[in-house]
Amino acid sequence: MGSTMKVLVLSAGKRVKIIEYLRQAGVDTVIAADCSELAPALYVADSFYIVPRSVTPEYAPAVRDICKNEGVDLCIPTLDLDLDPLAEYREEFANFGTTLMISPAPSIDLAADKWKMYEFCLAHNIPTPRTWIDRDVLDRDLASGEARFPLFSKPVRSAGSVDIGIARDSRDLDNIFASSQRMLVQEFMDGEPFDVDVYLDLHSGLVRGINPKLKLRMREGTTDKALIFDDPELTNFIEDLFSKAAFRGVVDVDLYATPTGYSLLEINPRFSWSYAHSHECGANFIEALLADVSGKRLDRVATARPKWHALAYDSVILNRNRH
């Protein structure tokens, strides 16, 4: 990797560790962008930009202009909401020399739409929780015993853990299906929850690294405490999954261990909020990503040390008020 590489981190927010890891990997200049000047990561970057919110039409052009004007080599979206506006820009960014760490647009849409993902899993024999989007079908299955309470509810399209819930009876289902959002309901999974960081070659999509974490505690929708895990069966599950699904770069996979094997919950095609757990234990996907961008591809990323606990904690950055 050349020492003059420039990297732009989007929706920088609290992603201080990502910026630190980029520097440790030898990146010369790290630029951060966010819609809020109170995003902590802005103040550990070499420079920063305040950009429109990613849900506005001005967002993608603003990011494009930063990359073009700054000569950015690698642009890293970090939020689900970043992905859809940028997915169609991969080739345009590449034409002026910026690699956008983003999966193909159809894969971004697949990951964002939980019903499409369920249908994809059924079509490709990927184990996943039984899911209903039609109330009549669900009522029929409840009556026949093919479905039973409690059930898990979530919006078809959402980010993080927004508006998720548990349905314990028909009255709960009435409220869920009366929502202004399009909702679906899944069988309730009571197995052990796993969060798997995966690195997929930017060019071929081949799996270059897998690091599973057993979730020990969640906080605000993300893994707070985890146990680094190693299981050949889980590795095979991930290899099979991404032989059928065309994703690129760093992605995060949520799944459950059940008595019959692993079951896919969702794919988040970006750095997980708990990526630091993997990195600190030795699974350096930043290095693999930078090698891909610079043309020095790594065959395989070392996995983290199994049976280590990864425990997150909070810190503070002070920034003087400019007003």
Side-chain angles (χ1 to χ4, degrees), residues 130 135-146:
R130 181 103 185 261
R135 177 69 186 273
D136 292 337
V137 175
L138 175 55
D139 285 341
R140 183 195 67 201
D141 288 346
L142 284 166
S144 70
E146 290 186 48

Side-chain angles (χ1 to χ4, degrees), residues 1-12 15-34 41-42 44-49 63 66-78 93 96-102 202 250 271 285-294:
M1 185 193 71
S3 61
T4 58
M5 183 176 282
K6 279 189 178 182
V7 178
L8 172 65
V9 178
L10 301 177
S11 297
R15 304 274 194 170
V16 172
K17 280 293 184 183
I18 296 293
I19 293 174
E20 290 179 353
Y21 296 151
L22 288 164
R23 283 216 182 91
Q24 290 168 12
V27 171
D28 183 65
T29 305
V30 183
I31 305 167
D34 201 276
L42 297 180
V44 296
D46 295 295
S47 61
F48 68 83
Y49 287 85
V63 172
I66 294 169
C67 290
K68 197 168 185 177
N69 295 336
E70 288 277 3
V72 167
D73 299 288
L74 170 64
C75 178
I76 304 176
T78 68
F93 276 52
F96 57 74
T98 298
T99 298
L100 189 58
M101 195 204 81
I102 199 166
L202 287 181
V250 181
F271 277 96
F285 292 175
I286 296 281
E287 184 181 28
L289 175 60
L290 296 176
D292 259 2
V293 174
S294 63

Side-chain angles (χ1 to χ4, degrees), residues 55-120:
V55 294
T56 67
E58 294 80 18
Y59 176 71
V63 172
R64 177 195 60 205
D65 291 347
I66 294 169
C67 290
K68 197 168 185 177
N69 295 336
E70 288 277 3
V72 167
D73 299 288
L74 170 64
C75 178
I76 304 176
T78 68
L79 284 185
D80 295 319
L81 292 174
D82 293 338
L83 302 176
D84 192 48
L86 293 171
E88 302 294 342
Y89 282 79
R90 278 205 316 167
E91 287 190 15
E92 182 178 345
F93 276 52
N95 287 340
F96 57 74
T98 298
T99 298
L100 189 58
M101 195 204 81
I102 199 166
S103 295
S107 297
I108 295 296
D109 184 58
L110 176 65
D113 189 307
K114 295 173 177 61
W115 181 248
K116 285 184 181 178
M117 180 60 77
Y118 176 66
E119 293 184 311
F120 176 86

Side-chain angles (χ1 to χ4, degrees), residues 32-291:
D34 201 276
C35 64
S36 169
E37 64 179 23
L38 297 181
L42 297 180
Y43 303 101
V44 296
D46 295 295
S47 61
F48 68 83
Y49 287 85
I50 304 301
V51 297
R53 295 178 65 84
S54 54
V55 294
T56 67
E58 294 80 18
Y59 176 71
V63 172
R64 177 195 60 205
D65 291 347
I66 294 169
C67 290
K68 197 168 185 177
N69 295 336
E70 288 277 3
V72 167
D73 299 288
L74 170 64
C75 178
I76 304 176
T78 68
L79 284 185
D80 295 319
L81 292 174
D82 293 338
L83 302 176
D84 192 48
L86 293 171
E88 302 294 342
Y89 282 79
R90 278 205 316 167
E91 287 190 15
E92 182 178 345
F93 276 52
N95 287 340
F96 57 74
T98 298
T99 298
L100 189 58
M101 195 204 81
I102 199 166
S103 295
S107 297
I108 295 296
D109 184 58
L110 176 65
D113 189 307
K114 295 173 177 61
W115 181 248
K116 285 184 181 178
M117 180 60 77
Y118 176 66
E119 293 184 311
F120 176 86
C121 288
L122 292 184
H124 292 85
N125 297 313
I126 299 167
T128 194
R130 181 103 185 261
T131 303
W132 296 265
I133 200 168
D134 186 298
R135 177 69 186 273
D136 292 337
V137 175
L138 175 55
D139 285 341
R140 183 195 67 201
D141 288 346
L142 284 166
S144 70
E146 290 186 48
R148 57 181 59 86
F149 292 109
L151 295 163
F152 191 75
S153 68
K154 61 176 72 171
V156 171
R157 299 182 76 95
S158 66
S161 299
V162 178
D163 295 327
I164 63 172
I166 298 175
R168 293 184 169 84
D169 54 37
S170 292
R171 286 175 298 179
D172 287 341
L173 290 180
D174 290 340
N175 292 331
I176 290 165
F177 284 102
S179 171
S180 58
Q181 299 185 80
R182 193 171 177 228
M183 301 291 289
L184 55 75
V185 172
Q186 292 180 327
E187 63 178 316
F188 190 82
M189 306 295 287
D190 57 1
E192 291 184 312
F194 283 83
D195 174 28
V196 186
D197 290 316
V198 182
Y199 185 72
L200 300 152
D201 189 288
L202 287 181
H203 308 283
S204 67
L206 292 175
V207 175
R208 301 293 186 195
I210 300 171
N211 196 64
K213 297 162 286 183
L214 172 61
K215 299 179 185 182
L216 300 178
R217 194 182 83 168
M218 299 289 289
R219 181 175 61 161
E220 297 178 355
T222 189
T223 306
D224 186 45
K225 302 183 188 299
L227 177 66
I228 305 300
F229 203 74
D230 184 26
D231 179 12
E233 183 183 344
L234 182 48
T235 297
N236 291 338
F237 184 98
I238 295 295
E239 295 273 7
D240 178 66
L241 170 63
F242 289 109
S243 70
K244 300 168 179 175
F247 288 84
R248 299 288 188 275
V250 181
V251 305
D252 167 51
V253 180
D254 286 327
L255 44 79
Y256 278 88
T258 76
T260 58
Y262 291 98
S263 182
L264 177 69
L265 196 58
E266 59 185 39
I267 299 173
N268 302 298
R270 51 163 173 75
F271 277 96
S272 70
W273 285 103
S274 61
Y275 167 73
H277 292 188
S278 292
H279 193 103
E280 294 292 340
C281 285
N284 190 340
F285 292 175
I286 296 281
E287 184 181 28
L289 175 60
L290 296 176

